[in-house]
Amino acid sequence: MEIRLDFIPAATLAAKDPVEKMDFILERIKRNVIIVLEEGLSPREEAELIAATMREIDARDFHGIEFYRLDSRETRLRERIANYISGKRSGLTIVGPTRMVEAIKKEPDCISMLAKAEVECPTDAPSVAGSTKGRKR
Amino acid sequence: MFGRFTKYLRLERLAKLLGMRKQIQLGFYGPVNAGKTTLANRISIDWLGKEVGKVSEIPHETRTIQKIENVEVTTNNGHVLRMNIIDMPGIATQVDYKTFASYGLTLEESKERAKEATKGVIEAIKWLDNVDAVLVVMDASEDPYTQVNVTIIGNLEARGIPMIIVANKIDLPNASPAGIEGAFPQHVVVSISASTGLNMEKLYEAIQEHLT
């Protein structure tokens, strides 16, 4: 069985308002697609993503998400302040359905994601720019 | 307009000097089962003589916001803390009713609990805009570098809300408060055990020093 990963360029989400952005993310997650956002979510967007996820949870199919932001924590303070003022975000965010993503863990030199493919992957999911497929680890 | 603001600041400062400052809304945030309600109960029993919430090993025991109003704590150095404590449901990114069934709840009870738990998480997130200061409660025996912890702290930083990280459960043999200090070096960390009461005085002093 295959696991589908969609890489979402920053430009795809740039024009969307917060609600549209969450809808875009969750629509894919609910179809068992793991997504990698080129531009990481801000903390407020992360909180909104959690709240939007809670609204979508149902007893049958969808139990939630796993996500991780590889952020600018390691960058210098000056860069972080400049990014904050300009509204620019660095890093990326990976989001997946909890039924497929067993764990996302920060290792000393990388972010490690353990995924499983117990569920049938959708075949009708539309492709987006940068979409790719990865084999089960 | 500006003159009125300056006057307000002067009055605030005077009120603080006289110990008359209004009560702070102190929110307890953290992941599920970090010990937030145990901490709220510890403070409430010690200073009001009553328990506020039920504690359980089953996740999402606290599914609604619990307020403890008019708590007055006198520290060893004589300072009086006046606060309203708001014990929040634990923040989670997933809620699976089957988890509750594994603790012996019926199918219906599990589904109902899951439904309430999701509402509780949404409420807790909404309340981020209504608190003056926050204790971020973490289980010191767990890996602190989780996305839930990072998201909570990132949101408080973005809103400019002062916080203290509480490394709870240090009575457990595998507790590592140093791990929490290492993960969030930019914030004040106080190590306690809410269940035994260890270091509660240090926590009160830290609240007085950093959050009031």
Side-chain angles (χ1 to χ4, degrees):
Chain A
M1 196 174 285
E2 292 173 326
I3 290 175
R4 175 170 159 168
L5 288 172
D6 280 359
F7 291 85
I8 313 297
T12 303
L13 295 178
K16 296 188 188 301
D17 66 33
V19 174
E20 289 172 337
K21 207 180 265 192
M22 297 310 134
D23 287 347
F24 179 92
I25 294 169
L26 286 174
E27 186 264 337
R28 275 165 175 71
I29 299 301
K30 289 180 77 176
R31 286 189 285 117
N32 297 315
V33 178
I34 295 169
I35 61 173
V36 181
L37 305 176
E38 182 192 15
E39 185 176 75
L41 295 176
S42 70
R44 284 176 189 263
E45 287 171 334
E46 288 173 359
E48 183 47 47
L49 177 61
I50 293 174
T53 299
M54 292 297 123
R55 284 190 280 269
E56 292 293 320
I57 283 177
D58 62 67
R60 267 195 326 162
D61 299 317
F62 183 58
H63 301 142
I65 59 169
E66 284 282 349
F67 75 103
Y68 205 94
R69 170 169 42 99
L70 183 61
D71 71 355
S72 57
R73 190 168 286 277
E74 282 78 27
T75 61
R76 282 173 292 185
L77 182 64
R78 195 192 302 172
E79 288 172 21
R80 291 179 66 186
I81 292 169
N83 287 346
Y84 181 79
I85 291 168
S86 65
K88 186 182 157 194
R89 295 172 206 136
S90 56
L92 52 83
T93 298
I94 182 165
V95 193
T98 189
R99 65 194 301 185
M100 290 179 71
V101 180
E102 284 194 334
I104 303 176
K105 197 169 168 53
K106 188 178 188 297
E107 305 289 352
D109 53 359
C110 70
I111 301 294
S112 177
M113 184 185 77
L114 184 62
K116 61 183 176 184
E118 286 180 1
V119 291
E120 198 65 39
C121 286
T123 53
D124 60 338
S127 293
V128 295
S131 176
T132 186
K133 287 179 177 178
R135 289 275 169 199
K136 182 182 177 186
R137 280 181 54 174
Chain B
M1 176 78 180
F2 183 72
R4 208 186 296 170
F5 182 63
T6 311
K7 190 177 172 187
Y8 169 76
L9 287 181
R10 273 199 220 114
L11 285 172
E12 269 285 289
R13 193 168 175 186
L14 182 64
K16 193 175 177 182
L17 284 171
L18 295 172
M20 292 161 50
R21 194 164 184 258
K22 65 172 184 174
Q23 287 162 327
I24 59 164
Q25 304 281 334
L26 183 63
F28 286 13
Y29 277 90
V32 176
N33 275 12
K36 295 177 293 298
T37 303
T38 306
L39 178 58
N41 279 339
R42 164 69 56 185
I43 297 171
S44 186
I45 290 167
D46 284 354
W47 299 95
L48 297 176
K50 62 178 183 186
E51 196 175 82
V52 288
K54 195 179 154 203
V55 175
S56 153
E57 61 167 358
I58 308 174
H60 295 283
E61 183 62 41
T62 306
R63 299 183 295 285
T64 54
I65 288 161
Q66 302 184 100
K67 272 184 112 174
I68 317 165
E69 295 186 311
N70 305 318
V71 181
E72 274 198 17
V73 174
T74 307
T75 65
N76 278 352
N77 53 19
H79 288 105
V80 179
L81 303 173
R82 294 182 178 88
M83 51 197 174
N84 293 329
I85 290 172
I86 305 144
D87 180 26
M88 304 289 177
I91 304 288
T93 61
Q94 51 182 281
V95 180
D96 186 348
Y97 76 95
K98 290 194 283 295
T99 309
F100 308 132
S102 70
Y103 284 90
L105 272 62
T106 66
L107 192 64
E108 283 311 306
E109 286 170 341
S110 299
K111 286 182 177 176
E112 187 57 32
R113 192 183 183 95
K115 205 171 163 185
E116 291 170 2
T118 58
K119 285 181 186 165
V121 174
I122 295 168
E123 279 300 299
I125 289 171
K126 277 185 190 164
W127 264 80
L128 277 166
D129 292 317
N130 297 314
V131 291
D132 299 322
V134 164
L135 297 184
V136 183
V137 184
M138 299 181 192
D139 181 341
S141 69
E142 300 280 340
D143 175 12
Y145 212 84
T146 64
Q147 187 58 51
V148 164
N149 286 342
V150 170
T151 296
I152 292 170
I153 288 172
N155 271 273
L156 297 172
E157 286 173 345
R159 288 168 168 80
I161 299 171
M163 75 187 94
I164 290 171
I165 298 175
V166 178
N168 191 23
K169 306 191 186 184
I170 59 166
D171 54 307
L172 296 180
N174 57 341
S176 173
I180 294 175
E181 288 165 12
F184 304 103
Q186 70 276 38
H187 294 293
V188 175
V189 178
V190 180
S191 305
I192 68 156
S193 167
S195 66
T196 67
L198 183 64
N199 287 351
M200 286 301 293
E201 186 57 34
K202 281 187 184 171
L203 179 60
Y204 296 141
E205 284 170 11
I207 293 171
Q208 192 272 321
E209 187 179 346
H210 299 285
L211 303 185
T212 61

